[in-house]
Amino acid sequence: GTPVEVTVRASGGGEGAPTATGSVTLTENGTTIDTADLADGTAGLDVPTASSAVGTRTFTVSYSGDGEHAATTATYTLKVLKGTIDLEVSADTRAYGTPGSVVVTAGPDADGGLVYALSDGQLLGGGAVAGGEATISLAGTGLSPGEHAIEVFYGGNQLVEPADATVSHVVTKAVSSLQATASPTPLKVKKTSAKVTVTVSTKGFEATGGRVTVKAGATTVGTGTLEDGRVRVTLRPFTKTGTKKLTVTWAGNDLATGSTGSVTVKVVR
């Protein structure tokens, strides 16, 4: 992709001979690449290499001649190597359970080829480069909450060498919501034990682990442990009649923040 300037010097006739004038033309397979006039016997010819195939290119340099110098030609050989690129990589912060993506910009010469992303040796995903860009999809539950270094590798193509870059990606804990129902109702004072069914919702996965606490005022009347987003907590019988508002709290776990809800039960004689 880097342009090349070919410097041509035309001379002849020995010491004291007049400086060559005229023009020089660079051709490849019969196609004119560039033409320039000599100045002090020298001219610069530009060879574009953008999108050029990697390998050896052979050019013909033709000198027009002037009143003192005859026309002539020469051959010039150029070896085109694969170019190098810098990857630009970004990954937005997301919550656990929510799918994300890594956006890769590799530049116009990186059209075609594959990119893939890893973190701590774990393959997260891959994608094809088109128009110098690629998007790698990340599974919602592929990385635990925290800050992760994601390594992105590009395999290169016929024009550019492989390249890599690293980006920091933050996964936050998922947000949860809690719903609770109680049965049976009404309850018989000092006799009937209520059962509170608790459902905790989290996007993209079912939460397991974390303590569920049921309180009547400041008094804990039952506890349980969440499994697959649900738990049924059996309460001990109430000793007084009346309407009881119960506060139900899930403490959260390593993947999601806690949440709170409430349910009302009626206690009768």
Side-chain angles (χ1 to χ4, degrees):
T2 304
V4 175
E5 183 179 69
V6 179
T7 301
V8 180
R9 294 183 177 86
S11 61
E15 186 176 352
T19 301
T21 59
S23 64
V24 289
T25 301
L26 185 72
T27 60
E28 182 182 23
N29 298 325
T31 300
T32 298
I33 304 299
D34 197 14
T35 299
D37 293 327
L38 293 173
D40 295 327
T42 302
L45 299 170
D46 291 328
V47 181
T49 61
S51 301
S52 175
V54 172
T56 300
R57 299 173 64 181
T58 301
F59 302 89
T60 299
V61 181
S62 302
Y63 168 54
S64 65
D66 60 15
E68 301 292 336
H69 303 86
T72 188
T73 61
T75 299
Y76 170 71
T77 300
L78 173 66
K79 186 174 183 181
V80 180
L81 304 176
K82 284 189 175 185
T84 58
I85 59 171
D86 292 323
L87 296 183
E88 295 181 10
V89 183
S90 62
D92 291 338
T93 297
R94 63 185 174 91
Y96 182 81
T98 301
S101 62
V102 177
V103 178
V104 183
T105 301
D109 288 336
D111 190 17
L114 300 175
V115 290
Y116 54 97
L118 297 94
S119 181
D120 295 327
Q122 173 189 355
L123 179 63
L124 303 178
V129 178
E133 297 182 345
T135 299
I136 302 172
S137 297
L138 302 177
T141 57
L143 292 171
S144 60
E147 184 173 3
H148 302 269
I150 295 180
E151 300 172 279
V152 177
F153 296 91
Y154 171 55
N157 63 8
Q158 71 274 17
L159 297 179
V160 297
E161 297 283 0
D164 62 86
T166 301
V167 64
S168 177
H169 179 48
V170 175
V171 179
T172 62
K173 284 188 175 184
V175 175
S176 69
S177 61
L178 185 150
Q179 291 184 324
T181 59
S183 64
T185 186
L187 305 173
K188 293 290 186 178
V189 66
K190 297 182 181 180
K191 293 182 179 180
T192 310
S193 296
K195 297 184 184 299
V196 177
T197 300
V198 181
T199 302
V200 173
S201 300
T202 48
K203 183 178 179 180
F205 68 105
E206 292 184 336
T208 292
R211 186 179 179 85
V212 173
T213 303
V214 182
K215 287 187 175 183
T219 303
T220 298
V221 292
T223 61
T225 301
L226 198 70
E227 184 173 351
D228 294 332
R230 293 172 62 86
V231 66
R232 197 174 192 190
V233 180
T234 300
L235 311 184
R236 58 178 177 266
F238 290 95
T239 58
K240 294 182 181 180
T241 60
T243 299
K244 313 291 183 181
K245 182 179 180 181
L246 307 178
T247 300
V248 184
T249 302
W250 178 54
N253 60 13
D254 291 339
L255 304 178
T257 59
S259 50
T260 299
S262 63
V263 63
T264 300
V265 295
K266 186 176 182 180
V267 183
V268 298
R269 291 187 181 277

